[in-house]
């Protein structure tokens, strides 16, 4: 039987984390690097990626790119693969929330939300899965949301993509798990990041969200570490197609 520490081991794995310049993606990239994986962080802001690299011990590399640029995807894939070879752990944390009310949703807002939150995780995975198949092992972690199953004001485009992420996670699991590639999603509650600046800028709203959890507080970035390492390691060998809500019990009440 594996020891408790070795089943969570990601040492020697190659991970790609999108959204590594900020928030949960940055935290995920750090957690994987500290646990011994070689990590390629992807986002647009080169300076923030460089900051992340400077503050992170371990084997790291960065790709500064706009993931919503469909035509650029093959080049981005080459850049991701260059430093350490093709990743066998893929964490899709890049995402946006335009917060447009249903009556005011613009085509631009709708299209960029669908592109980044839904199309990118699919097509980047599709591009990197063949190498995972060759190795017979892979892990894909998508980012779902409370809005995977709940409707919030101003969340129609975002919620549509996060509902989609839930179903895409199951469909990816159906397609690739028999090749050793498990796909799951983390469904965060409320975590203080750039994405949720509007939520945490309103103390009353933040307190209401905290009160809605069973635990009685909003998320801290480090709350993501354990669930992430579980889903990226052999500890989750028989777990696929699932959404692990990391929400302090928000959806339990
Ligand atoms: N925070 C929460 O409470 C919460 C709750 C539920 C779900 N989530 C999900 O968790 C994930 C991470 O969110 P977060 O809160 O950490 O958000 P965040 O702090 O705003 O980070 C978003 C990341 O996405 C990257 N990104 C945005 N547009 C991009 C583009 N066109 N190309 C490449 N990268 C791009 C950003 O980097 P650049 O700007 O440098 O490109 C940034 O690194 C998202 O999928 C979000 O939906 C978050």
């Amino acid at each position: 039987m594996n020891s408790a520490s070795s089943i969570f081991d990601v040492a020697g794995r190659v991970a790609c984390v999108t959204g590594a310049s900020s928030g949960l993606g940055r935290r995920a990239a750090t957690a994987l690097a500290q646990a011994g994986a070689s990590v390629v962080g992807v986002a647009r802001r080169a300076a923030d990626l460089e900051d992340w690299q400077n503050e992170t011990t371990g084997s790291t590399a960065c790709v500064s790119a706009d993931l919503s640029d469909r035509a650029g995807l093959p080049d981005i894939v080459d850049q991701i693969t260059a430093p350490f070879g093709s990743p066998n752990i893929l964490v899709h944390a890049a995402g946006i929330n335009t917060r447009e009310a249903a009556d005011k949703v613009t085509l631009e807002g709708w299209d960029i939300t669908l592109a980044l939150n839904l199309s990118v995780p699919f097509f980047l995975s599709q591009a990197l899965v063949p190498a995972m198949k060759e190795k017979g092992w892979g892990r894909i972690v998508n980012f779902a949301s409370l809005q995977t199953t709940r409707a919030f004001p101003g969340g129609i485009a975002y919620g549509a993509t996060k509902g989609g992420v839930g179903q895409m996670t199951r469909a990816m699991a159906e397609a690739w798990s028999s090749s050793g590639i498990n796909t799951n999603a983390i469904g965060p509650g409320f975590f203080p990041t750039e994405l949720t600046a509007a939520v945490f800028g309103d103390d009353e709203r933040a307190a209401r969200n905290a009160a809605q959890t069973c635990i009685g507080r909003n998320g801290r970035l480090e709350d993501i570490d354990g669930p992430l390492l579980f889903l990226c390691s052999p500890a989750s060998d028989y777990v696929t197609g699932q959404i692990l809500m990391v929400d302090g019990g928000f959806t339990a009440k």
Side-chain angles (χ1 to χ4, degrees):
M1 197 169 88
N2 284 326
S3 71
S5 64
S6 71
I7 61 171
F8 291 96
D9 197 5
V10 294
R13 306 281 188 194
V14 176
C16 169
V17 180
T18 70
S21 64
S22 170
L24 294 168
R26 186 169 176 142
R27 180 74 200 188
T30 301
L32 285 164
Q34 284 175 350
S38 298
V39 182
V40 183
V42 187
R44 288 166 304 179
R45 286 170 290 175
D48 295 84
L49 287 171
E50 209 177 297
D51 280 353
W52 163 71
Q53 261 196 296
N54 290 337
E55 74 182 21
T56 307
T57 47
S59 183
T60 59
C62 298
V63 174
S64 168
D66 183 348
L67 284 163
S68 69
D69 170 18
R70 276 192 188 185
L73 195 65
D75 181 51
I76 294 171
V77 168
D78 287 347
Q79 290 186 62
I80 289 169
T81 306
F84 310 116
S86 197
N88 38 27
I89 296 172
L90 185 49
V91 179
H92 295 292
I96 52 163
N97 186 352
T98 55
R99 298 184 190 278
E100 292 176 322
D103 294 342
K104 302 248 167 79
V105 168
T106 59
L107 255 181
E108 293 74 25
W110 182 267
D111 284 350
I112 186 69
T113 308
L114 262 74
L116 194 67
N117 294 4
L118 200 52
S119 304
V120 167
F122 177 68
F123 286 105
L124 188 55
S125 297
Q126 190 196 50
L128 293 170
V129 152
M132 292 184 195
K133 282 187 178 172
E134 268 172 38
K135 292 176 191 148
W137 192 91
R139 288 286 185 272
I140 299 172
V141 178
N142 295 320
F143 268 77
S145 164
L146 295 171
Q147 294 192 57
T148 295
T149 51
R150 303 277 172 93
F152 290 170
I156 192 155
Y158 181 81
T161 63
K162 293 302 179 178
V165 164
Q167 179 52 28
M168 184 172 72
T169 299
R170 290 183 282 273
M172 285 174 158
E174 189 284 324
W176 297 324
S177 299
S178 61
S179 304
I181 304 158
N182 291 7
T183 303
N184 293 287
I186 286 177
F190 283 98
F191 285 73
T193 67
E194 291 176 15
L195 187 97
T196 52
V199 177
F200 283 89
D202 178 344
D203 289 344
E204 218 174 281
R205 190 169 167 198
R208 249 196 339 268
N209 289 333
Q212 172 60 34
T213 67
C214 296
I215 289 177
R217 65 167 174 84
N218 290 309
R220 299 178 187 132
L221 291 184
E222 61 268 27
D223 290 326
I224 221 76
D225 297 0
L228 178 83
L229 290 176
F230 167 63
L231 292 179
C232 290
S233 66
S236 57
D237 268 352
Y238 200 55
V239 180
T240 194
Q242 304 304 310
I243 301 169
L244 176 52
M245 295 308 293
V246 184
D247 66 356
F250 191 106
T251 43
K253 291 205 337 194

